[in-house]
Amino acid sequence: MFVVVFSVNTQPVGKGRPRFSKVGGFVKTYTDQKTRDYEAHISQAARTAMGESDPIEGSIRLSLVFRLPMPRATPKKRLASLLDGSVRPLKRPDLDNLGKSVLDGMNGIVYRDDAQVVTMCSKKIYSEIPGVDICVMEEE
């Protein structure tokens, strides 16, 4: 069973809505720059983690832990409950949009296509070091 584990220590960004522009009478669809930059960070970390390995061909189990920055106006009394996980992030970005950015960033590097992901477990927590911890396992 093939396993890849890596972290990306940059603030997680949810997949942005598609943007549209009109060019020469045609509508062009594109991804916003913030999402593209985040997906590029994920891609670079995935390339480093994979080394010389080829993308996984079979079904995949994926685990994602999104470490979000603590709210700026957090009282010191509440800080411990944020860090120990007893208080979880209930605001944006949405968990499903965070996952989409990571999945798209690993496409063609860790696996051929994100359609290969058949099991996914993800969660949001508060952390002093924002980022995402990624574990990709080939299912047997």
Side-chain angles (χ1 to χ4, degrees):
M1 173 176 25
F2 187 77
V3 178
V4 176
V5 178
F6 62 100
S7 294
V8 179
N9 292 328
T10 189
Q11 176 144 348
V13 175
K15 182 78 170 187
R17 297 251 186 249
R19 306 287 183 200
F20 303 95
S21 66
K22 200 169 188 179
V23 179
F26 296 96
V27 176
K28 177 185 171 187
T29 306
Y30 65 96
T31 302
D32 65 279
Q33 189 64 46
K34 187 175 180 181
T35 302
R36 283 192 310 222
D37 290 345
Y38 181 65
E39 289 176 1
H41 282 291
I42 299 293
S43 295
Q44 183 58 46
R47 278 187 191 87
T48 301
M50 288 295 287
E52 297 296 317
S53 300
D54 291 329
I56 299 169
E57 296 286 340
S59 59
I60 292 169
R61 176 185 308 234
L62 181 63
S63 173
L64 303 171
V65 177
F66 294 98
R67 296 177 274 117
L68 302 178
M70 290 173 285
R72 291 183 185 158
T74 304
K76 289 186 180 181
K77 289 191 285 186
R78 192 162 180 233
L79 199 60
S81 62
L82 293 177
L83 290 173
D84 71 10
S86 59
V87 174
R88 301 287 284 274
L90 301 177
K91 297 186 178 184
R92 294 186 184 273
D94 297 350
L95 190 58
D96 61 332
N97 290 333
L98 288 168
K100 287 176 196 173
S101 291
V102 173
L103 288 168
D104 288 349
M106 293 190 298
N107 252 346
I109 300 167
V110 177
Y111 40 74
R112 297 270 179 230
D113 187 75
D114 56 6
Q116 292 171 247
V117 177
V118 296
T119 305
M120 187 163 104
C121 178
S122 53
K123 68 179 178 178
K124 298 190 298 187
I125 62 171
Y126 285 116
S127 175
E128 291 178 330
I129 302 170
V132 59
D133 301 318
I134 303 165
C135 178
V136 182
M137 292 182 281
E138 185 175 28
E139 284 201 338
E140 295 178 338

